[in-house]
Amino acid sequence: MSDADTPPAAPAEPGIRILAQFVRDLSFENPRAPDILRSGGAQPQIDMGVEMNARGREDGLFEVDLKLSARAARDDGPFFVVELVYGGLFAIDGVPPENLEPVLLVECPRFLFPFARRIIADVTADGSFPPFMLDPIDFGAVYMARKAEAEGMGAVVGTA
């Protein structure tokens, strides 16, 4: 069979591989312990924050960070504050350049989220609170909102 008879190579199937996962930064504050642990009263108000960031590396891999923050407080002050930056090292294959940003800032955080959620639940339980179980996050909606916001300011979304 000559080279002319050889069928062209099929494009690589898109693929995402997680090569490593890690806690990049974790902070838990329980500023009013132990007194807050005995107080009754109204349920605290929870404020949540979500950020996704990604950057390419010289070796062709990608680092993706998922930053989750939660602050529980009532009118009389904070209960707890937790911030977690959970990272992953990803190999991305067969994804066209125009689709790379949504893969990095939507799909990769979806892989990281269950592990980050467990860490936050564990650390709040270790702080003597009921485990704080984050609701599932629609990373696609977060990405689109940040992209619209960035386009309004003339910036690029979450990639470094």
Side-chain angles (χ1 to χ4, degrees):
M1 193 185 232
S2 71
D3 286 340
D5 296 333
T6 305
E13 282 288 317
I16 301 172
R17 289 183 308 145
I18 305 171
L19 303 177
Q21 296 180 75
F22 45 89
V23 173
R24 190 177 298 276
D25 188 31
L26 175 62
S27 171
F28 179 78
E29 298 174 29
N30 191 353
R32 296 174 45 211
D35 297 330
I36 194 70
L37 304 175
R38 296 185 317 192
S39 69
Q43 290 284 19
Q45 175 69 35
I46 306 288
D47 294 321
M48 284 290 309
V50 178
E51 293 179 33
M52 300 93 62
N53 292 296
R55 61 194 154 281
R57 296 168 31 123
E58 290 182 13
D59 58 8
L61 302 175
F62 296 89
E63 290 182 39
V64 176
D65 288 337
L66 173 60
K67 181 178 180 182
L68 301 171
S69 59
R71 182 177 191 274
R74 287 193 312 219
D75 290 339
D76 60 346
F79 276 42
F80 67 81
V81 178
V82 61
E83 291 183 356
L84 170 65
V85 179
Y86 193 73
L89 182 63
F90 291 85
I92 311 288
D93 298 311
V95 174
E98 64 273 12
N99 295 338
L100 190 57
E101 184 176 275
V103 166
L104 290 170
L105 298 176
V106 176
E107 297 306 321
C108 293
R110 281 185 187 152
F111 286 116
L112 298 175
F113 178 75
F115 301 95
R117 180 180 194 236
R118 182 194 51 81
I119 291 167
I120 288 176
D122 288 350
V123 76
T124 54
D126 290 345
S128 294
F129 295 99
F132 182 62
M133 300 301 292
L134 293 168
D135 288 335
I137 296 171
D138 183 347
F139 290 104
V142 173
Y143 169 74
M144 293 306 291
R146 298 273 161 81
K147 186 172 178 82
E149 181 181 304
E151 287 173 355
M153 296 186 314
V156 175
V157 175
T159 56

